[in-house]
């Protein structure tokens, strides 16, 4: 099991944008890495809350009809069951924290 993760290196190795790869589990929580490529990502909702931590760049969301911008070093918590979509222009590296 890996204990030290070079997130920038791992993000650069991701084959496809918006296809997250699980790095590790902490209890019942998954830590997943995704590369954002400025393209929109469709609307979705999850049964559990989801944390979106921007490592570098910016994430532009539409959360239940409200525009939200998350910048590097910021964490946005999407409540369980809340519809959210990625707006165009989101670019960088994202760490997704979910169950």
């Amino acid at each position: 099991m890996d204990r030290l993760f070079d997130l920038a290196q791992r993000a650069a190795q991701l084959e496809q944008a918006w296809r997250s790869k699980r790095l590790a589990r902490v209890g019942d929580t998954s830590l997943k890495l995704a590369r954002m490529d400025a393209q929109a990502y469709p609307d979705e909702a999850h049964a559990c809350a989801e944390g979106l931590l921007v490592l570098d760049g910016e994430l532009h969301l539409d959360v239940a009809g409200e525009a939200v911008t998350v910048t590097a070093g910021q964490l946005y918590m999407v409540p369980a069951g809340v519809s959210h979509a990625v707006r165009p222009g989101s670019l960088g590296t994202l760490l997704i924290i979910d169950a």
Side-chain angles (χ1 to χ4, degrees):
M1 177 174 122
D2 289 348
R3 294 186 182 178
L4 178 64
F5 299 92
D6 183 328
L7 298 177
Q9 179 185 27
R10 295 267 182 122
Q13 293 172 347
L14 292 173
E15 294 178 23
Q16 185 177 353
W18 296 114
R19 177 158 292 199
S20 64
K21 179 169 183 164
R22 184 167 56 184
L23 298 173
R25 290 193 59 80
V26 180
D28 292 335
T29 302
S30 291
L31 302 177
K32 300 184 289 189
L33 193 63
R35 183 171 43 83
M36 302 180 285
D37 68 351
Q39 300 297 312
Y41 193 81
D43 192 53
E44 62 183 7
H46 308 283
C48 296
E50 180 178 52
L52 303 173
L53 173 61
V54 176
L55 300 176
D56 63 75
E58 287 188 343
L59 172 62
H60 302 284
L61 295 170
D62 182 337
V63 181
E66 179 182 338
V68 175
T69 297
V70 188
T71 60
Q74 293 183 322
L75 170 68
Y76 185 82
M77 294 299 299
V78 180
V82 172
S83 177
H84 57 288
V86 176
R87 296 186 336 230
S90 299
L91 188 62
T93 309
L94 180 65
L95 185 68
I96 302 166
I97 305 158
D98 66 11

